[in-house]
Amino acid sequence: MNMLNDDRYLTFALTKGRLAEKTLDLLEKVGISCDEMRDKNTRKLIFTNEELKVRFFLSKGPDVPTYVEYGTADIGVVGRDTIMEEGRRCFEVLDLGFGKCRMCVCGPESAREKLAHHEMIKVASKYPNIARDYFYNRKGQTVDIIKLNGSVELGPIVGLSDVIVDIVETGSTLKENGLVVLEEVCPLSARVIVNQVSMRMENERIRKLITGLREAL
Ligand code: PRP
């Protein structure tokens, strides 16, 4: 038997790092804890609270919606940027309000004109689907999208692209690299997502949890 499919356990897929820590802080407020997961030195990826019949696993953000869509996790906590980019089938049930930032079109001030005149520009992004949706569907602008995997601010600086579509939190990365926000795509924050079948099968347990979390926020 696949132990991850043991339905007596409610399984959470959390985004490794700061988001998982903040999520644990919140879960503790509703009585769900996992001390073993707090150990900074552990390399373990799966944690179980036998008493509460709850299991957690830690994954990279973009994989969280995948685990939730396939039902290997009932519940996921991940940024809205990742949910939008991955486009997986799952229910988004709660905005946790932390991890707040914005998805923006950024670049040098000189790119503002090009954007305004709907020129055929090059857009570098770690989020090609979000960038495509924004330019093609919301703005009706044809652009050339170039996928990067990080340090996206380099794109316009080294001449790979005219602008970037990226996350802006404090704005200091942009500032230190001579770039500015040109347009806002959407606000972002951490969200709770739920597997569509789990929502029906574990309805009461999940509903109680979501209500508890909402009250604890
Ligand atoms: C993110 C994002 C920006 C930066 C924004 O990158 O892609 O580069 O943070 O934050 P700020 O507005 O507070 O400066 P991250 O640190 O996740 O690394 P990456 O560039 O490798 O994606």
Side-chain angles (χ1 to χ4, degrees):
M1 188 174 67
N2 180 351
M3 72 174 214
L4 290 182
N5 282 337
D6 183 343
D7 61 9
R8 288 174 299 141
Y9 285 85
L10 199 62
T11 303
F12 290 78
L14 303 183
T15 304
K16 239 181 184 176
R18 227 173 33 174
L19 216 54
E21 278 166 39
K22 288 204 159 190
T23 305
L24 282 185
D25 291 342
L26 182 64
L27 285 170
E28 273 176 14
K29 289 191 192 166
V30 298
I32 299 176
S33 59
C34 190
D35 296 340
E36 206 189 353
M37 217 165 134
R38 293 287 195 181
D39 176 3
K40 291 257 191 295
N41 297 317
T42 183
R43 302 287 293 167
K44 269 182 77 167
L45 297 170
I46 300 184
F47 304 87
T48 308
N49 183 325
E50 297 290 350
E51 198 188 327
L52 298 173
K53 290 274 181 274
V54 167
R55 183 162 26 225
F56 297 94
F57 55 80
L58 295 174
S59 77
K60 289 276 185 189
D63 297 335
V64 168
T66 311
Y67 286 116
V68 174
E69 179 184 300
Y70 282 90
T72 33
D74 302 294
I75 298 174
V77 177
V78 65
R80 185 186 178 208
D81 51 320
T82 307
I83 298 170
M84 289 167 72
E85 181 63 23
E86 296 302 313
R88 293 286 181 179
R89 275 169 304 183
C90 40
F91 295 130
E92 186 185 313
V93 297
L94 186 62
D95 181 350
L96 293 176
F98 51 76
K100 271 202 168 118
C101 48
R102 300 181 293 156
M103 185 64 73
C104 296
V105 179
C106 312
E109 194 54 57
S110 60
R112 203 181 286 278
E113 278 283 278
K114 289 185 189 170
L115 272 175
H117 295 122
H118 280 214
E119 282 182 35
M120 177 71 185
I121 53 168
K122 289 197 175 81
V123 180
S125 187
K126 235 168 44 170
Y127 302 91
N129 293 328
I130 294 177
R132 194 171 301 111
D133 180 63
Y134 178 70
F135 280 103
Y136 282 73
N137 300 335
R138 272 174 62 188
K139 296 197 70 188
Q141 184 173 0
T142 305
V143 296
D144 183 7
I145 291 164
I146 305 167
K147 162 87 198 264
L148 286 178
N149 292 292
S151 304
V152 179
E153 290 82 2
L154 268 176
I157 299 172
V158 300
L160 176 76
S161 69
D162 298 290
V163 297
I164 59 174
V165 168
D166 199 21
I167 291 172
V168 179
E169 192 180 352
T170 62
S172 48
T173 310
L174 289 179
K175 202 166 168 205
E176 287 184 32
N177 291 288
L179 305 175
V180 294
V181 171
L182 298 167
E183 291 172 5
E184 180 170 323
V185 177
C186 62
L188 303 169
S189 56
R191 307 290 162 101
V192 177
I193 55 175
V194 177
N195 171 267
Q196 295 184 344
V197 176
S198 305
M199 197 65 178
R200 285 201 300 273
M201 307 297 285
E202 292 273 359
N203 188 278
E204 203 182 329
R205 210 172 168 200
I206 292 175
R207 262 235 299 265
K208 252 169 103 177
L209 172 76
I210 302 303
T211 307
L213 289 175
R214 192 173 286 129
E215 281 165 6
L217 284 172

